Amino acid sequence: GLHVDLSISGCSDSDGEMMYSLDGEELWFADFINHRGVEPMPSFIDHVSYREGTYEQAVANQQICRSNLKNSRVGMKDIPLEN
């Protein structure tokens, strides 16, 4: 059958999110406060693991996201709210 695979990535000046899910079940998320990746699956199922470096990639993506956010603010600074 068909499955729904989803990844969410986003940031703000003070927070960020990176998460992977399959069929509505969270498989992995980045815990930026405790500096680690979390696989919140129960122990009684076949465990799906993400490769080493997934958390470090999420941290790098957050830096890129914040840089893009800053660039967007600079680029949109003088654009009028209405044309």
Side-chain angles (χ1 to χ4, degrees):
L2 298 175
H3 294 281
V4 177
D5 186 21
L6 176 69
S7 71
I8 296 172
S9 180
C11 68
S12 68
D13 289 331
S14 61
D15 202 6
E17 176 75 21
M18 183 69 206
M19 184 272 301
Y20 297 106
S21 73
L22 180 65
D23 295 335
E25 297 293 328
E26 194 172 44
L27 298 177
W28 185 93
F29 68 90
D31 181 349
F32 294 117
I33 294 171
N34 294 309
H35 308 285
R36 64 188 183 99
V38 177
E39 297 173 341
M41 295 167 282
S43 60
F44 58 83
I45 66 169
D46 288 336
H47 190 72
V48 176
S49 290
Y50 283 80
R51 71 173 131 177
E52 192 171 324
T54 302
Y55 175 76
E56 290 77 13
Q57 184 63 50
V59 170
N61 288 344
Q62 287 296 298
Q63 293 171 347
I64 293 167
C65 183
R66 286 193 179 99
S67 176
N68 290 339
L69 182 62
K70 180 181 176 185
N71 290 339
S72 294
R73 285 185 180 139
V74 170
M76 297 175 66
K77 179 180 175 198
D78 296 325
I79 295 177
L81 294 176
E82 293 184 21
N83 288 332

